Amino acid sequence: EAGVTQSPTHLIKTRGQQATLRCSPISGHTSVYWYQQALGLGLQFLLWYDEGEERNRGNFPPRFSGRQFPNYSSELNVNALELEDSALYLCASSPGVRRTGELFFGEGSRLTVL
Amino acid sequence: AQRVTQPEKLLSVFKGAPVELKCNYSYSGSPELFWYVQYSRQRLQLLLRHISRESIKGFTADLNKGETSFHLKKPFAQEEDSAMYYCALISSGSARQLTFGSGTQLTVLP
């Protein structure tokens, strides 16, 4: 069974640009979560999508946005990039909002903002 | 607001020694707690959950509501246990999301 896949693996942008990261969940999973893993800060919750709807978002500015497509894949967009947005962005999926606890993570997309 | 605290960023023990990774949480409801692990060059994955009361790879964790703790323990550490460990809490109700601690890097020395 294919795991959660993320693309691109690495992305280099400059300040002010926009970045788009993509995630394909495990087949049959309807929930997608996005986390930011910045150096020394652990995993910070960004966004949660389920069945195409945004269910919750973390304490991040509005320039962090995303969406979930009908096939449950998801996209994270970061506008007006700032240097501190440099981080590993992890996507995770789970079977749905009523299921508990276990998230299946991708390998991440490393974003570098110069 | 819910919060998970892992006070140790780094922890080193010798092979065969006991190991305890600390986790404290704050949450107003009834918590569901988890330990996730990330081995070198592998994905972050679930290690165990308190609701299952299971032992995985020799690790156990007991939820102590009085002390609001969920420490991860293993009586005899192995070199292959070296990894990054994250404690996590999931909120109840409709806004179910995992809140992670900042992680503890465990190194088991030979």
Side-chain angles (χ1 to χ4, degrees):
Chain A
E1 177 185 285
V4 175
T5 58
Q6 293 186 243
S7 63
T9 308
H10 294 88
L11 187 61
I12 299 175
K13 294 284 187 179
T14 56
R15 251 186 328 180
Q17 286 189 312
Q18 180 203 33
T20 298
L21 309 177
R22 296 180 178 84
C23 172
S24 292
I26 290 172
S27 177
H29 287 190
T30 62
S31 276
V32 170
Y33 301 78
W34 287 96
Y35 286 85
Q36 183 195 64
Q37 189 175 31
L39 199 61
L41 293 180
L43 284 88
Q44 304 294 314
F45 169 71
L46 268 164
L47 289 158
W48 168 30
Y49 293 95
D50 183 72
E51 298 281 1
E53 293 185 17
E54 182 180 299
R55 297 288 183 161
N56 204 3
R57 67 178 289 130
N59 189 24
F60 280 83
R63 57 192 186 81
F64 286 84
S65 65
R67 52 181 171 165
Q68 186 178 34
F69 299 99
N71 66 354
Y72 304 117
S73 67
S74 178
E75 198 172 83
L76 174 68
N77 294 294
V78 188
N79 293 320
L81 284 166
E82 300 179 2
L83 296 179
E84 53 265 33
D85 297 333
S86 294
L88 182 68
Y89 289 84
L90 290 174
C91 173
S93 72
S94 74
V97 66
R98 296 192 184 280
R99 302 293 290 272
T100 179
E102 184 168 8
L103 298 188
F104 295 81
F105 282 86
E107 294 182 318
S109 293
R110 184 163 297 281
L111 172 64
T112 302
V113 182
L114 303 175
Chain B
Q2 59 198 53
R3 175 174 286 207
V4 178
T5 302
Q6 293 180 252
E8 304 143 325
K9 283 192 182 301
L10 303 171
L11 181 63
S12 294
V13 300
F14 285 101
K15 177 182 172 181
V19 61
E20 180 179 69
L21 291 90
K22 291 184 167 48
C23 172
N24 289 91
Y25 66 90
S26 63
Y27 181 58
S28 57
S30 183
E32 295 178 50
L33 285 141
F34 306 82
W35 278 97
Y36 276 74
V37 62
Q38 188 168 26
Y39 300 102
S40 179
R41 286 186 282 277
Q42 293 189 28
R43 302 173 185 221
L44 187 61
Q45 60 187 288
L46 178 67
L47 179 62
L48 56 78
R49 65 191 89 193
H50 92 268
I51 201 167
S52 301
R53 296 183 174 272
E54 55 200 347
S55 172
I56 303 292
K57 299 184 179 182
F59 283 98
T60 59
D62 291 318
L63 177 60
N64 185 324
K65 292 186 179 181
E67 296 183 359
T68 59
S69 68
F70 187 56
H71 302 328
L72 182 68
K73 301 176 184 179
K74 185 169 182 177
F76 306 103
Q78 303 299 313
E79 290 180 69
E80 55 265 30
D81 296 328
S82 295
M84 189 71 163
Y85 291 83
Y86 292 95
C87 182
L89 177 155
I90 194 165
S91 56
S92 60
S94 60
R96 293 179 68 79
Q97 70 193 52
L98 269 178
T99 297
F100 286 85
S102 54
T104 297
Q105 178 67 50
L106 173 66
T107 301
V108 181
L109 304 167

